[in-house]
Amino acid sequence: MTAATSSTLFPQGSTPGGYEATPRDADAVLDGLDPEQREVATSLHGAVCVLAGAGTGKTRAITHRIAYGVRAGILQPASVLAVTFTNRAAGEMRGRLRQLGAGGVQARTFHSAALRQLQYFWPKAVGGEVPRLVERKVQLVAEAAARCRVRLDRNELRDVTGEIEWSKVTQTVPEDYPAVAAKSGREAPRDTAEIGRIYATYEQLKRDRGVIDFEDVLLLTVGVLQERPDIADQVRRQYQHFVVDEYQDVSPLQQRLLELWLGDRDSLCVVGDASQTIYSFTGATPDHLLNFRTRHPGATMVKLIRDYRSTPQVVHLANGLLSQARGRAAEHRLELVSQREAGPDPAYAAYQDEPAEAEGTARRIRELITPVEQGGGGVPASQIAVLYRVNAQSELYEQALADAQVPYQLRGAERFFERPEVREAGLLLRGAARGGSADPALADVDIPSQVRAVLGTRGWTPEPPAGSGAVRDRWESLAALVRLAEDFAASRPGATLSDLVAELDERAAAQHAPTVEGVTLASLHAAKGLEWDAVFLVGLTEGMMPITYAKTEQQIEEERRLLYVGVTRARRHLTLSWALSRAPGGRASRRPTRFLNGLRPGSQAMGAARTPGGSGGIERGAAAPGGGGAVRRRRGPVHCRVCGRALTDAGEMKLMRCEGCPSELDEALYERLRDWRAEQAGLLGQPAYCVFTDKTLLAIAEAVPGTESELTRISGVGRRKLDRFGADVLALCAGRELPSAVDGEGGVEAG
């Protein structure tokens, strides 16, 4: 039950517990719907496209649409097919429809609906029984690789299997895979020609054994409907009306199946949000949603923008994230409007290192779950989530929550110490500890070096591998063990490898306790479709968000959408955090994610459009005037753009950050500015600080202004200096080469 269906938001026709009572008639089905949802529910003829933002009650709208049609006698229950992407979502939809008095409607996943049709029509279309579904696809892929004389480890095997699945849903045949993968910019786990051969052998093995896989269910159903018009007509007589949820996630193969179900009719309602497209690596594309009006020119378009899930503060931040987005999906973004009462502003937290970030997050969660009468927030642990970019980040948070005696549960991933690579590493480390000095590679070296030597034989390297997938996940897990060894050695001088193994055993034992209802730990991908009262988005540094291997603009924009999905999971409390260094005592060189530029207090937007100012934890810088005359200075308190602390020191105010907070310095630009300043000072016969002070140069190199307006916001850049040096400074910031310096006038204003 989402917030959009709670009784406080839709009181009519609901029970005190928030579950809707069965409406007495068709008109009662419409009770409690907002105007846009009502439009969806009553537009029962022709094609309908619903663009539904996060938390806007899209499932409510489409289930009430089906129920209204059934209860009004316009739709026959057995003639409706509602399609979604997960069994959980399909089950929820069936439950809601029964509650609304529309039992008998088919609500299924694409695969479930296709399999039923395939089983029913196979004897007529082909003869005999439908082929058996292969139970373990990975085993068959492994056998295909062996026949091609290619050795794959467990992680490569998983990734190659994923490539085969992607090829099939994008309708790519084995011989075309190398070219299509290259054109699509995919990070293949092996040579693409090798994968193409494995793919072809895998398909041959299936044919030899008379089995099919999950993707074949869709392919074969498409084939039957294309080759047998009589069967296609029979399906179309059965199903007169189609509803597709999460339409931004359809693959080309699913779209083809939908077109065959539909035929030349337009009795179709699709619901989606291009800003929540985060599964392109599986073949999903929002193009079908964005092109819907082209394929169905007479379609009714409805936008759901009333957000019933999140507070205005959370919604404002979500809108701000998308306001900086680029690309086609961004052109169709929805500006959400919160329908809830105001709540706390999103909190931004910078920590010195990753363990401190995990501990700080655990402390805040401990405060939230403490009962109100004891001075806490009174938020149930089950209504709190910690969301991160990759599963390997979970270990620190598992430990921090365990130390804080906060119950937790992992979603969409194995527990850290249950991961195969972590178990294998534990066995190797235990063996190395027993062997002692017998291994010359481990003799006379510290614990972290011993761990690196052992794990180096299983895939750990000082630098992460390129690309994503299982190889990267495995490396992240092993790297987490290396970091744990470094932290253990620092806290326990004189400890041995055996002591570390004992520590690992204790941690594993503590985390193997039965799963309890507690704080959810999940990746951002696994959190899609869920919501909590309080959400902690952690590890928001460059290199993790966006992830290092996101290179193209399309990949970067998908990372932005992933963060947007994370933000919109929060109903009331939202905390966004990052660590300035990886380990305690490390160099504080990390930067917060670029996606928060212009959104977190004190930061500057990087040349992107800004939404109007308001609440939601967003602080806007005052725009500099464009005309001549004196430049207006910022009024009121100046806050550190990293930690948000009010600044009083003049030097800190010039930099707009605390001296101890990390710099977002472009070091190469800073050196170019210093060289340029020295040349100018020599020409003018003045000390260097008379051109610009060191602090002003630092502020310029951190802000990297792109316009005169942005440059004049930096303390120390007055109108005279702007006129004299502005063009040079902006050229240097843009990376352009300057012509040879010429003599200038004296009397330079001091910075």
Side-chain angles (χ1 to χ4, degrees):
M1 183 73 84
T2 67
T5 60
S6 73
S7 58
T8 57
L9 297 168
F10 295 102
Q12 299 97 326
S14 297
T15 67
Y19 293 95
E20 299 178 33
T22 300
R24 62 186 179 277
D25 54 30
D27 289 339
V29 172
L30 304 178
D31 288 348
L33 298 183
D34 67 33
E36 294 78 25
Q37 292 171 339
R38 181 180 287 256
E39 180 68 23
V40 174
T42 55
S43 297
L44 293 170
H45 301 286
V48 177
C49 180
V50 184
L51 301 179
T56 57
K58 65 180 179 63
T59 305
R60 179 182 178 87
I62 58 177
T63 52
H64 282 244
R65 166 195 173 86
I66 295 170
Y68 177 73
V70 169
R71 298 290 297 274
I74 301 171
L75 303 176
Q76 295 302 311
S79 72
V80 180
L81 178 59
V83 187
T84 187
F85 281 81
T86 67
N87 288 321
R88 180 185 64 82
E92 180 185 359
M93 192 178 292
R94 287 194 296 270
R96 291 198 191 191
L97 289 169
R98 283 195 301 270
Q99 210 164 44
L100 292 168
V105 171
Q106 293 292 312
R108 297 186 173 276
T109 65
F110 270 101
H111 283 88
S112 173
L115 182 58
R116 276 176 59 104
Q117 292 176 19
L118 196 64
Q119 290 170 332
Y120 183 81
F121 290 112
W122 188 268
K124 179 179 179 180
V126 181
E129 298 254 337
V130 66
R132 178 176 57 86
L133 268 173
V134 63
E135 293 182 1
R136 298 209 59 192
K137 182 189 302 178
V138 169
Q139 290 180 345
L140 208 56
V141 175
E143 185 176 341
R147 292 199 178 191
C148 293
R149 302 184 187 280
V150 177
R151 296 190 62 181
L152 301 176
D153 65 25
R154 178 179 58 84
N155 299 293
E156 290 176 317
L157 182 59
R158 191 182 80 180
D159 287 346
V160 169
T161 302
E163 288 302 292
I164 292 174
E165 291 172 347
W166 173 82
S167 299
K168 298 182 77 166
V169 300
T170 56
Q171 302 178 81
T172 302
V173 295
E175 54 268 29
D176 292 343
Y177 169 77
V180 175
K183 184 178 180 181
S184 303
R186 290 187 72 78
E187 291 276 358
R190 297 285 296 237
D191 178 74
T192 54
E194 277 187 345
I195 295 176
R197 291 197 302 273
I198 295 170
Y199 178 15
T201 306
Y202 167 77
E203 292 297 310
Q204 186 60 52
L205 282 173
K206 288 196 290 109
R207 286 192 292 270
D208 293 345
R209 296 176 187 180
V211 296
I212 59 175
D213 62 23
F214 211 47
E215 290 70 42
D216 289 331
V217 171
L218 299 183
L219 284 164
L220 290 170
T221 305
V222 165
V224 167
L225 296 178
Q226 284 182 160
E227 298 299 322
R228 292 292 300 269
D230 57 325
I231 293 177
D233 287 342
Q234 190 173 343
V235 171
R236 292 166 193 157
R237 285 195 299 272
Q238 171 69 46
Y239 295 115
Q240 303 289 323
H241 194 87
F242 298 86
V243 177
V244 183
D245 195 10
E246 302 289 1
Y247 193 55
Q248 77 279 351
D249 289 334
V250 296
S251 68
L253 180 56
Q254 290 165 332
Q255 175 64 24
R256 180 62 186 137
L257 178 59
L258 178 62
E259 290 168 354
L260 288 166
W261 283 340
L262 195 61
D264 58 2
R265 300 167 297 176
D266 62 356
S267 53
L268 170 66
C269 174
V270 300
V271 187
D273 180 8
S275 297
Q276 296 189 67
T277 305
I278 59 172
Y279 296 112
S280 65
F281 59 90
T282 67
T285 171
D287 289 347
H288 307 300
L289 175 67
L290 300 179
N291 293 335
F292 191 83
R293 199 69 177 271
T294 302
R295 295 194 312 276
H296 303 276
T300 298
M301 304 290 290
V302 183
K303 294 182 179 180
L304 302 184
I305 62 169
R306 302 173 195 250
D307 188 317
Y308 297 97
R309 175 187 298 158
S310 304
T311 63
Q313 288 77 8
V314 172
V315 167
H316 191 67
L317 176 57
N319 286 337
L321 273 174
L322 292 188
S323 75
Q324 301 182 9
R326 299 174 181 176
R328 191 169 180 226
E331 295 171 3
H332 296 266
R333 70 183 181 90
L334 299 169
E335 188 87 7
L336 301 179
V337 180
S338 176
Q339 305 298 297
R340 296 193 55 173
E341 293 181 356
D345 286 345
Y348 300 87
Y351 294 92
Q352 284 301 312
D353 49 68
E354 289 180 356
E357 183 180 11
E359 291 164 10
T361 300
R363 277 197 308 273
R364 176 59 183 142
I365 290 174
R366 179 80 257 177
E367 295 168 0
L368 275 176
I369 65 177
T370 299
V372 175
E373 55 270 21
Q374 298 177 23
V379 179
S382 60
Q383 289 301 319
I384 301 174
V386 178
L387 306 181
Y388 34 76
R389 178 60 181 85
V390 296
N391 287 325
Q393 293 173 271
S394 74
E395 191 270 340
L396 278 174
Y397 293 90
E398 293 178 52
Q399 187 60 47
L401 291 171
D403 290 345
Q405 297 184 319
V406 173
Y408 67 88
Q409 55 183 336
L410 280 168
R411 180 181 181 87
E414 300 161 294
R415 285 176 173 269
F416 181 80
F417 286 103
E418 292 177 357
R419 295 172 190 165
E421 62 268 25
V422 175
R423 286 183 172 183
E424 180 186 30
L427 291 173
L428 292 172
L429 292 172
R430 190 172 292 107
R434 283 198 300 267
S437 59
D439 186 344
L442 302 180
D444 301 321
V445 294
D446 59 20
I447 292 176
S449 297
Q450 294 180 59
V451 172
R452 293 188 200 102
V454 172
L455 301 188
T457 67
R458 289 298 183 270
W460 178 82
T461 55
E463 294 297 323
S468 58
V471 173
R472 175 73 181 219
D473 288 345
R474 177 185 175 87
W475 182 90
E476 293 281 6
S477 295
L478 298 179
L481 288 175
V482 171
R483 292 196 296 268
L484 193 151
E486 293 169 348
D487 297 341
F488 180 76
S491 63
R492 294 270 302 272
T496 66
L497 187 59
S498 295
D499 295 327
L500 174 63
V501 170
E503 171 75 7
L504 292 174
D505 288 342
E506 289 179 14
R507 292 185 176 217
Q511 294 174 9
H512 282 171
T515 302
V516 294
E517 185 73 10
V519 173
T520 299
L521 296 178
S523 71
L524 286 163
H525 281 102
K528 177 74 164 60
L530 303 174
E531 58 187 80
W532 296 269
D533 285 343
V535 169
F536 291 79
L537 301 176
V538 299
L540 300 181
T541 59
E542 286 290 312
M544 192 60 75
M545 176 56 66
I547 199 76
T548 305
Y549 48 79
K551 302 294 186 184
T552 67
E553 180 176 306
Q554 291 82 0
Q555 291 168 335
I556 295 293
E557 288 306 314
E558 181 146 334
E559 293 287 299
R560 186 194 305 277
R561 294 194 295 270
L562 190 57
L563 181 57
Y564 172 80
V565 166
V567 167
T568 55
R569 300 309 95 194
R571 296 190 190 106
R572 180 173 175 81
H573 302 279
L574 177 63
T575 300
L576 305 96
S577 65
W578 56 90
L580 308 177
S581 65
R582 181 185 62 76
R587 182 167 174 263
S589 59
R590 288 179 168 179
R591 299 182 182 184
T593 173
R594 71 191 74 171
F595 299 144
L596 295 179
N597 288 340
L599 300 175
R600 60 185 174 86
S603 63
Q604 296 291 323
M606 300 300 286
R610 300 187 186 189
T611 52
S615 59
I618 300 172
E619 184 177 308
R620 303 296 178 188
V631 176
R632 280 183 201 165
R633 296 299 178 193
R634 185 181 286 104
R635 300 295 183 186
V638 177
H639 295 272
C640 172
R641 64 170 175 265
V642 178
C643 69
R645 183 178 71 84
L647 302 177
T648 55
D649 178 79
E652 291 184 341
M653 292 172 69
K654 186 183 287 282
L655 292 176
M656 286 195 64
R657 64 172 174 82
C658 306
E659 285 285 1
C661 282
S663 166
E664 297 179 351
L665 178 68
D666 184 330
E667 294 183 5
L669 173 59
Y670 181 58
E671 290 304 318
R672 290 197 302 273
L673 287 167
R674 283 175 60 88
D675 292 341
W676 166 83
R677 181 182 66 172
E679 186 177 12
Q680 292 293 321
L683 291 170
L684 296 170
Q686 299 278 352
Y689 67 80
C690 290
V691 180
F692 285 121
T693 65
D694 287 344
K695 291 283 191 190
T696 301
L697 286 190
L698 279 171
I700 292 171
E702 290 184 6
V704 193
T707 64
E708 286 191 358
S709 176
E710 292 173 357
L711 182 57
T712 56
R713 294 179 195 152
I714 296 173
S715 179
V717 183
R719 173 56 58 185
R720 290 177 60 194
K721 288 195 177 182
L722 180 68
D723 293 341
R724 182 180 295 274
F725 303 124
D728 281 3
V729 170
L730 291 174
L732 289 168
C733 289
R736 297 195 296 272
E737 293 293 330
L738 294 178
S740 299
V742 296
D743 290 343
E745 299 176 3
V748 180
E749 177 185 344

